[in-house]
Amino acid sequence: MTTTALDEDTAVAARLEEAVRTVDAPDVVFAFSRDGRSTLRSGGTAPPPPVPREQLRYELGSASKTYAGLLLAELTGSGTLSGTDPATAHLDPGHVHGRRSAITLAHLITHTSGLPPLPADFYPQGLPRWSTNPYAHYPPQRVVRAFLRHHPRHRPGTRWRYSNFAVAVLGHCLAAATATPWEDLLTHRVLVPLGLTDTALHPAGSGTDATGHRADGRTPVPALHIGGFAAAGAVRATPGDLLTFLGAHLRPDTAGPLADALREVRRPVLRRGLRHQHIHTLTWFQHPTDLGPLYFHAGATSGQQAFLGFRPDTGTALAALCTRRYRTHDALVATAYDLLFQQPP
């Protein structure tokens, strides 16, 4: 490594250490890579756990949707199914469901299906457990039943509304279309091909998983159990595996059978908001920079937060994680986004 590269790595490490100090949470990890060289820094307000923070798995929450979108791109690219397939064709074939029949797989992943954030009957059972495990007691069959009973208020494709419900339904569609359970499908079509050996869809316990905390930053919360919403938020991974995942998006040509799918999820598919300034790909939020697009997605669970982002123009990727329930003034996402946008020297 040249002196210049060593100087750059030292500067990156200093910026990451500063970022870690900015985030008020029991455990904090920032993992950064540039052109394949990785730098990780960790810290937090709690004493260091027995297993180093950078070796634990962290809950990604909604950032799990980037894995679901990549899987959809792989299945459509291989001809297994089409993004224009009606969801009802996979979940209730042979029946006509009116406007609901117009909801396609692409609508579900791009949050343009017209479905609400969560099913209407989710809240009575979820709210009492909102600070612990609101999804655990809402099983897959109930998600499907809620979808088949839902009466859309708007024509699919006409409005953007972020929806965990929609992406959960997508997961059940893909599982039904391939006659493969969601966990097996994602594992064999995405995780294994990318070499993501420290990524999982279920908690494994102390020593493997980071422990989340309530908003007070002191009270532990149980590990996330996602019920029927696996496609929308089940993924947990180590910082190293997250850099591997993001690295595949930076260098699709090195990703073997997923190369085309990785290129596809970088392609803009819709614009929304004032002057259509908000750009979305199949699975990532995309923002412009002076040099090229920045792709990112954030997520949160009852006790953890995550940010994933990458920039093909500069060959950089960043994963930021912490173990404290999200509060409106928290610094994790803003700090991570600014770090990736500004580019450490």
Side-chain angles (χ1 to χ4, degrees):
M1 188 180 297
T2 65
T3 301
T4 299
L6 286 172
D7 291 342
E8 288 180 355
D9 288 347
T10 299
V12 168
R15 288 289 303 277
L16 295 183
E17 289 169 1
E18 178 185 354
V20 167
R21 289 192 295 270
T22 300
V23 179
D24 181 12
D27 308 287
V28 184
V29 181
F30 276 74
F32 180 86
S33 70
R34 172 184 283 150
D35 297 327
R37 299 200 317 274
S38 301
T39 306
L40 283 76
R41 289 294 183 271
S42 63
T45 58
V51 176
R53 292 178 171 106
E54 57 270 24
Q55 295 179 18
L56 296 172
R57 291 175 181 165
Y58 293 81
E59 298 169 356
L60 301 189
S62 282
S64 302
K65 295 177 178 66
T66 61
Y67 295 75
L70 181 60
L71 175 59
L72 175 60
E74 194 279 329
L75 292 172
T76 57
S78 66
T80 304
L81 44 74
S82 170
T84 59
D85 288 352
T88 54
H90 297 296
L91 297 180
D92 194 23
H95 293 82
V96 177
H97 291 270
R99 178 176 282 178
R100 195 182 307 107
S101 297
I103 298 176
T104 68
L105 305 184
H107 289 142
L108 294 171
I109 192 61
T110 58
H111 305 288
T112 57
S113 66
L115 293 177
L118 293 166
D121 68 344
F122 175 88
Y123 296 96
Q125 63 82 39
L127 286 176
R129 307 179 181 91
W130 201 256
S131 62
T132 54
N133 254 316
Y135 296 92
H137 298 280
Y138 203 97
Q141 62 271 25
R142 193 168 175 183
V143 173
V144 173
R145 186 167 64 247
F147 169 67
L148 295 176
R149 292 177 175 176
H150 180 74
H151 298 286
R153 296 176 57 189
H154 306 289
R155 182 165 56 86
T158 60
R159 302 190 181 203
W160 189 90
R161 189 182 187 190
Y162 193 87
S163 175
N164 284 325
F165 184 16
V167 181
V169 170
L170 172 70
H172 298 305
C173 289
L174 301 188
T178 59
T180 306
W182 173 256
E183 182 172 4
D184 293 343
L185 186 62
L186 187 68
T187 297
H188 295 303
R189 303 295 284 255
V190 173
L191 305 187
V192 170
L194 294 182
L196 303 178
T197 57
D198 286 322
T199 300
L201 301 181
H202 297 285
S206 176
T208 299
D209 299 324
T211 300
H213 297 79
R214 291 190 177 186
D216 62 14
R218 297 182 302 275
T219 307
V221 298
L224 176 70
H225 290 272
I226 200 70
F229 292 81
V235 177
R236 60 195 71 228
T238 61
D241 252 23
L242 293 176
L243 288 184
T244 299
F245 178 66
L246 295 171
H249 287 77
L250 288 172
R251 299 176 296 277
D253 291 341
T254 67
L258 284 172
D260 289 340
L262 287 160
R263 284 188 284 266
E264 180 63 19
V265 297
R266 282 167 40 172
R267 183 176 62 85
V269 297
L270 67 90
R271 293 174 177 265
R272 68 176 178 89
L274 183 65
R275 295 188 295 275
H276 289 176
Q277 61 183 336
H278 297 293
I279 304 172
H280 298 258
T281 76
L282 193 67
T283 188
W284 296 94
F285 297 87
Q286 179 185 309
H287 283 182
T289 73
D290 291 340
L291 299 176
L294 181 157
Y295 301 86
F296 71 99
H297 207 300
T301 64
S302 296
Q304 301 189 36
Q305 301 173 49
F307 173 95
L308 305 181
F310 64 98
R311 290 184 57 174
D313 57 331
T314 55
T316 54
L318 177 69
L321 309 150
C322 78
T323 58
R324 187 173 190 167
R325 185 183 180 90
Y326 173 75
R327 301 164 298 164
T328 56
H329 59 282
D330 277 344
L332 181 87
V333 172
T335 300
Y337 181 93
D338 184 64
L339 191 63
L340 189 59
F341 186 89
Q342 297 295 337
Q343 290 296 296

